[in-house]
Amino acid sequence: MEKFKTTPISRVQNISKEAFISEFYKPQRPVLIQGLTKDWPAYKKWNLDYIQQLSGEQIVPLYNNEPTKGKQNSAAPATEMKLYDYISLLKTKPTDLRIFFYNILEHMPELAKDFEYPDIGLKFFKKLPVMFFGGGGSKVLAHYDMDLADLMHFHFHGTKSVTLFNPEQSKYLYKVPFSVHNLETIDMDNPDFEKYPALKHVTGIQVEMNHGDALYMPSGYWHFIKYLNGGFSITLRALPTKPGRLLKTAGNVFFMRHFENIMRKTMGQKWVDFKESGMIRRTNKKFGNLKG
């Protein structure tokens, strides 16, 4: 079966602040940085056993790969579980259950002693260091972050696959209206180019992340993530400062998200079908017959 066209990501070792700004931040180019976490206590300490030791009795919301339907809020968790038990699950077998946007300052502040904000030219928002956990085989729907932040994403324990897409490719990715993700029915591992022909024009940037790797994802970059085995990551974010991007962020956070939830509650699946079918029709008409 056909796959997306992909190119390998740029990889560097211990890049300087000046080089990062000129080669990657200013041109908004993704890069995998190896060695950025070597001096962190986290590099040696962070694994599933360590997080489990600190988990206590806390309960965490868990998300899965099932599409949201009808009046279901797209941000609603599938279930919840003790963090200790969830990590036991990650260590023993594949699962599609994931932890999303776990704020360590609220839930496990002692972890903040194990890492530092790298002096690399990004003005990090230090009130929101968030973690993500996933089991082998779990996938994260292709999306970009609503706040349009520049992201530095660090992976620990295990391996994950990340495919990035430039914001300019949004028009080919079947972005669902009033959302920051594409159609949940699209299998990003095995895209159906007959049903979704605009996907033929997409080129992704492919990277496999291992323990301690740092991935720079520029503002608005789409990411499709697959955990190859149980592991977790932490994301540090630099919020947008340019007026145009700030305006888009405000629209996403204060209007789009709330409007979508209101329409789902009011119309349910009719709203979902209406907006998705119209988008598919328009995308196929505009881009489906273009030569790749």
Side-chain angles (χ1 to χ4, degrees):
M1 188 173 284
E2 283 187 274
K3 300 277 189 180
F4 288 116
K5 297 188 288 284
T6 59
T7 58
I9 198 164
S10 299
R11 290 175 176 264
V12 297
Q13 290 268 2
N14 300 314
I15 191 169
S16 70
K17 177 179 178 178
E18 293 72 25
F20 174 77
I21 291 172
S22 64
E23 295 174 30
F24 299 103
Y25 175 61
K26 282 188 176 177
Q28 293 282 278
R29 287 179 56 215
V31 60
L32 185 82
I33 307 173
Q34 296 170 304
L36 199 58
T37 65
K38 286 286 175 69
D39 295 328
W40 291 7
Y43 186 77
K44 291 183 179 178
K45 292 165 66 176
W46 281 16
N47 55 42
L48 290 174
D49 290 334
Y50 180 65
I51 302 297
Q52 193 172 39
Q53 289 169 17
L54 300 174
S55 61
E57 295 295 309
Q58 63 179 286
I59 306 291
V60 291
L62 298 171
Y63 298 81
N64 62 15
N65 296 340
E66 292 296 316
T68 53
K69 296 178 181 178
K71 298 186 178 183
Q72 184 181 358
N73 187 315
S74 58
T79 185
E80 56 181 33
M81 186 185 296
K82 276 188 177 183
L83 179 56
Y84 187 97
D85 295 338
Y86 172 66
I87 293 176
S88 293
L89 188 64
L90 294 188
K91 293 195 291 187
T92 53
K93 62 182 181 181
T95 175
D96 69 346
L97 293 173
R98 295 176 288 107
I99 297 178
F100 171 78
F101 226 76
Y102 178 90
N103 186 336
I104 68 168
L105 297 184
E106 289 182 8
H107 305 297
M108 208 175 280
E110 52 266 62
L111 292 181
K113 301 171 187 174
D114 294 339
F115 72 90
E116 57 191 46
Y117 290 86
D119 182 21
I120 202 162
L122 294 175
K123 294 180 180 178
F124 290 107
F125 182 60
K126 296 183 179 179
K127 294 182 180 179
L128 201 62
V130 291
M131 297 180 85
F132 303 84
F133 294 74
S138 63
K139 301 176 184 180
V140 183
L141 184 66
H143 70 286
Y144 59 92
D145 280 30
M146 188 175 289
D147 63 4
L148 300 178
D150 283 274
L151 308 175
M152 195 65 79
H153 188 69
F154 305 86
H155 189 61
F156 295 91
H157 197 117
T159 308
K160 74 194 299 185
S161 165
V162 182
T163 309
L164 302 174
F165 303 98
N166 189 298
E168 294 175 359
Q169 299 196 46
S170 293
K171 58 184 178 286
Y172 305 133
L173 284 166
Y174 294 86
K175 176 188 172 297
V176 175
F178 304 104
S179 80
V180 292
H181 60 80
N182 72 348
L183 282 170
E184 295 183 68
T185 50
I186 292 177
D187 181 351
M188 296 295 282
D189 280 324
N190 295 291
D192 187 339
F193 292 127
E194 293 297 318
K195 191 172 183 179
Y196 306 112
L199 292 175
K200 293 178 181 178
H201 310 298
V202 171
T203 299
I205 301 169
Q206 181 65 41
V207 58
E208 238 179 54
M209 297 186 70
N210 296 298
H211 182 86
D213 285 347
L215 174 62
Y216 169 58
M217 294 187 272
S219 171
Y221 257 76
W222 289 71
H223 33 287
F224 167 63
I225 294 171
K226 184 166 63 173
Y227 289 82
L228 303 183
N229 38 54
F232 61 97
S233 307
I234 183 170
T235 294
L236 307 179
R237 57 208 314 110
L239 298 180
T241 54
K242 294 180 180 178
R245 204 168 281 171
L246 271 172
L247 201 61
K248 279 187 176 181
T249 297
N252 289 346
V253 174
F254 297 113
F255 170 71
M256 184 181 72
R257 179 173 57 178
H258 296 296
F259 177 76
E260 169 67 10
N261 287 336
I262 288 168
M263 294 304 290
R264 274 182 175 261
K265 285 180 182 177
T266 306
M267 295 180 63
Q269 193 62 34
K270 285 183 180 179
W271 165 248
V272 177
D273 293 342
F274 169 75
K275 65 174 185 166
E276 290 186 356
S277 61
M279 177 273 294
I280 294 170
R281 188 169 59 250
R282 290 190 298 272
T283 303
N284 285 349
K285 183 178 180 181
K286 193 168 184 179
F287 303 112
N289 295 320
L290 292 178
K291 291 185 179 179

